[in-house]
C-alpha cells in the first residue's frame, strides 16, 4: 500500500487502493498534485493527491515495476522493470514515448538528473547506466559493484550519482566521465536505499543491517548511525528542508528522524506488510509510504487529523473514494455491497446492491452525480447517485475488474482487470 503521513503528528491522512499486487515504488510529481506508483501487477498508476482517485493506468511492461521517477519538469515519467527495460511516458497523453533496452538484467531503480536530460538506472547485474533522455543512447556504464545494485540517486547539482548494492557498499560516481569517486563501506549487509540531502552535502543509506547511516557526500565519512528499526530498511528520504529523514522498513513501520540528532520523532504504524518505499511531498507537508498490504495511504501533515472509523461492512473493504465536494465517502467490500457514508458524522447514508462478487474499486464522476464500481463478477457498474440505482452494467472483461477511473470531463471511464487489459468506456452509451 501507499500511505501519506503527517510528519508533525505521525497521523495517517489517506489510503489509495487499486493495485492488485505488491506496490514497490512511489513518487510525487514536481507540482505535488499527483503521485505515481509501480507494482508487481506490471502497471504504473497515477493518483490525484487531493481526491485519492486513480486518474490513469500505464500498461506496457511485461514484468514487475520496481522503480519510477518524474522528470524535473513533470512532463515525463520513467519506469524500471523486471522485464529489463526502461520506459519513458508522456504525462499529457499517457503514451509510452520510448523504450530503453540493453540492461540485460531486471532494473531495480531509476532517477532523472536535476536538468532532466539524463537518466541513471541500476539493477541486478551490478551495473549502473547513464542514458540520454532525448536519444535513448547509453552514455556511460558504471561498473565496480560485485553484486546487484538496488538503488541510484543523482545529487541535487547533478554532478554526482550515488549507488547502493547488495555488496554492502555505497558508491559515488562522477557524472561527466563515469568514473568512481568514493567507495563507501560500513554497512554489514545488503544496502537497499540511498538519498542525497537537498543541499547535496550528505547521503542517507539503509539496508538489511537495520541501520540508517548518514555520510559526507564529498569524503564518504560516516557522520551518524541511526538505530531503531527491527528489520531491513527499504526506503529513506530527506525532507525538502533537509531537517528530517523518513524511513520505511520490513518491520512494517515508517519512522521520522531528526537529521542533526538522530532522534526518532515519530513511529507511524498501521500498515500490515513490509514498507516498500517512502517519499516526502515537494513541500514537505505529506509523506507517502507503500507496503505489501497492497494499498496506498496519504497522510495530512498540516492538520494531523485522525482517521474516522466507519463500521458497517461485514467483510473486507477493497475500494474507497471521496466525492468531489468531500462530503461523502464510497466504499466497496467483499460483502458485495457499496456503502455511501457522510464524512461529517460517519453515518451510513445508503447501501447499493447488485454486484455478485467482491467490489474491488469505486470512483465518483468529476461532477459527483455518478459512481462507478468494479468487482470480482467481471463487471463495471455505473450508479445514478440521485436515484441511487444502477444505470448501466458494462460487460467485457474476462476476469476480476480491479480498478476504475473517470476522465477529467467524466465522459470516459477506464477500467483495468486481472485479464491484463485496460478498457475505455463511454459513460453515456456504455460502449467500449
Amino acid at each position: 500500500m501507499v500511505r501519506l503521513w503527517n510528519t508533525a503528528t505521525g497521523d495517517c491522512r489517506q489510503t489509495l487502493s487499486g493495485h492488485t499486487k505488491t506496490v514497490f515504488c512511489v513518487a510525487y510529481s514536481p507540482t505535488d498534485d499527483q503521485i505515481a506508483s509501480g507494482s508487481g501487477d506490471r502497471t504504473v498508476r497515477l493518483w490525484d493527491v487531493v481526491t485519492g482517485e486513480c486518474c490513469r493506468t500505464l500498461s506496457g511492461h511485461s514484468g514487475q515495476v520496481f522503480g519510477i521517477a518524474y522528470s524535473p519538469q513533470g512532463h515525463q515519467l520513467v519506469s524500471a522493470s523486471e522485464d529489463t527495460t526502461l520506459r519513458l511516458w508522456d504525462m499529457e497523453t499517457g503514451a509510452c514515448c520510448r523504450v530503453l533496452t540493453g540492461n540485460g538484467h531486471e532494473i531495480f531503480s531509476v532517477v532523472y538528473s536535476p536538468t532532466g536530460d539524463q537518466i541513471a538506472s541500476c539493477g541486478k547485474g551490478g551495473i549502473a547506466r547513464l542514458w540520454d533522455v532525448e536519444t535513448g543512447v547509453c552514455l556511460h556504464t558504471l561498473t565496480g559493484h560485485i553484486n546487484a545494485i538496488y538503488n541510484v540517486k543523482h545529487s541535487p547539482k547533478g554532478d554526482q550519482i550515488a549507488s547502493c548494492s547488495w555488496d554492502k557498499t555505497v558508491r559515488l560516481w562522477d557524472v561527466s566521465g563515469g568514473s568512481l569517486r568514493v567507495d563507501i563501506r560500513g554497512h554489514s549487509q545488503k544496502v537497499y536505499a540511498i538519498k542525497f540531502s537537498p543541499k547535496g552535502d550528505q547521503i542517507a543509506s539503509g539496508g538489511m543491517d537495520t541501520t540508517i547511516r548518514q555520510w559526507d557526500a564529498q569524503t564518504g565519512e560516516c557522520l551518524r548511525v541511526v538505530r531503531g528499526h527491527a528489520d531491513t530498511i527499504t526506503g529513506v528520504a530527506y525532507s525538502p528542508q533537509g531537517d528530517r529523514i523518513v524511513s520505511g522498513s520490513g518491520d512494517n513501520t515508517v519512522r521520522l528522524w531528526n537529521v542533526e540528532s538522530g532522534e526518532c520523532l515519530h513511529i507511524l504504524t498501521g500498515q500490515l506488510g513490509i514498507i516498500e518505499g517512502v517519499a516526502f511531498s515537494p513541500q514537505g507537508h505529506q509523506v507517502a509510504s507503500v507496503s505489501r498490504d497492497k494499498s496506498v495511504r496519504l497522510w495530512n501533515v498540516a492538520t494531523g487529523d485522525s482517521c474516522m472509523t466507519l463500521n458497517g461492512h461485514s467483510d473486507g473493504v477493497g475500494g474507497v473514494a471521496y466525492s468531489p465536494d468531500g462530503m461523502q465517502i464510497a466504499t466497496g467490500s467483499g460483502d458485495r455491497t457499496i456503502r455511501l457514508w457522510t464524512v461529517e458524522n460517519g453515518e451510513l447514508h445508503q447501501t447499493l446492491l447488485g454486484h455478485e462478487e467482491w467490489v474491488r474499486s469505486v470512483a465518483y464522476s468529476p461532477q459527483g452525480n455518478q459512481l462507478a464500481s468494479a468487482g470480482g463478477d467481471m463487471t463495471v457498474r455505473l450508479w445514478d447517485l440521485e436515484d441511487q440505482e444502477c444505470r448501466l452494467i458494462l460487460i467485457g472483461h474476462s476476469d476480476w475488474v480491479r480498478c476504475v477511473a473517470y476522465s477529467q470531463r467524466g465522459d470516459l471511464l477506464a477500467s483495468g482487470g486481472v485479464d491484463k487489459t485496460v478498457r475505455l468506456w463511454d459513460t453515456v452509451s456504455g460502449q467500449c
Side-chain angles (χ1 to χ4, degrees), residues 13-343:
R13 178 179 176 269
Q14 195 168 353
T15 301
L16 309 180
S17 300
H19 282 296
T20 60
K21 290 189 178 180
T22 299
V23 181
F24 290 108
C25 51
V26 65
Y28 277 94
S29 66
T31 53
D32 200 26
D33 59 347
Q34 192 178 83
I35 285 178
S37 57
S39 168
D41 62 13
R42 306 178 183 180
T43 70
V44 175
R45 292 175 186 261
L46 307 180
W47 309 85
D48 186 292
V49 169
V50 176
T51 66
E53 293 186 359
C54 178
C55 48
R56 181 168 281 159
T57 300
L58 308 180
S59 300
H61 281 294
S62 60
Q64 300 179 92
V65 181
F66 291 135
I68 50 173
Y70 283 91
S71 65
Q73 298 79 16
H75 65 275
Q76 196 177 74
L77 184 85
V78 62
S79 56
S81 172
E82 177 187 34
D83 65 11
T84 76
T85 71
L86 299 171
R87 288 180 178 254
L88 303 182
W89 307 86
D90 186 299
M91 287 292 91
E92 184 175 352
T93 64
C96 178
C97 50
R98 191 179 297 276
V99 180
L100 307 182
T101 61
N103 288 279
H105 296 275
E106 56 194 80
I107 308 171
F108 293 143
S109 182
V110 64
V111 64
Y112 279 90
S113 65
T115 55
D117 59 340
Q118 291 184 10
I119 290 172
S121 65
C122 66
K124 196 171 183 179
I127 296 174
R129 287 182 167 86
L130 295 182
W131 307 84
D132 185 287
V133 170
E134 185 68 26
T135 65
V137 173
C138 180
L139 302 174
H140 297 293
T141 300
L142 311 180
T143 60
H145 284 294
I146 59 174
N147 207 328
I149 302 172
Y150 206 80
N151 216 324
V152 288
K153 290 291 185 291
H154 274 278
S155 65
K157 294 181 180 179
D159 58 340
Q160 290 187 83
I161 286 177
S163 60
C164 66
S165 171
W166 291 356
D167 66 9
K168 310 175 189 178
T169 70
V170 174
R171 293 181 179 236
L172 301 181
W173 309 83
D174 178 75
V175 170
S176 59
S179 59
L180 177 66
R181 282 194 58 253
V182 184
D183 184 358
I184 300 175
R185 298 174 183 270
H187 283 287
S188 60
Q189 296 188 56
K190 296 176 181 178
V191 187
Y192 285 98
I194 48 170
K195 186 72 174 180
F196 277 96
S197 64
K199 294 181 179 179
D201 58 337
Q202 287 188 21
I203 296 171
S205 63
M208 282 188 69
D209 61 9
T210 74
T211 69
I212 300 165
R213 293 173 185 257
Q214 296 168 242
W215 312 89
D216 185 293
Q218 292 301 314
T219 66
E221 176 188 358
C222 185
L223 304 174
R224 183 171 291 105
V225 180
V226 178
R227 293 181 170 87
H229 280 295
D231 207 330
T232 299
I233 310 296
T234 55
V236 292
Y238 284 88
S239 65
Q241 298 76 21
D243 59 343
R244 294 179 182 178
I245 289 174
V246 62
S247 60
S249 169
D251 63 11
N252 301 353
T253 70
V254 175
R255 292 179 182 241
L256 290 169
W257 311 85
N258 181 290
V259 168
E260 292 298 322
S261 66
E263 175 190 1
C264 181
L265 304 174
H266 294 290
I267 303 175
L268 312 181
T269 61
Q271 292 174 290
L272 303 177
I274 294 172
I275 310 298
E276 290 287 353
V278 291
F280 274 96
S281 66
Q283 284 75 34
H285 68 280
Q286 287 182 339
V287 166
S289 61
V290 294
S291 170
R292 288 190 184 178
D293 64 8
K294 306 172 187 175
S295 69
V296 181
R297 283 206 179 189
L298 311 181
W299 305 83
N300 189 320
V301 171
T303 65
D305 290 340
S306 60
C307 299
M308 185 180 294
T309 301
L310 309 177
N311 297 312
H313 282 297
S314 60
D315 205 338
V317 182
V320 62
Y322 277 89
S323 61
D325 60 10
M327 298 178 64
Q328 193 177 80
I329 288 177
T331 57
S333 169
D335 63 13
R336 308 178 184 182
T337 71
I338 300 160
R339 293 174 186 254
L340 307 180
W341 312 83
T342 302
V343 170

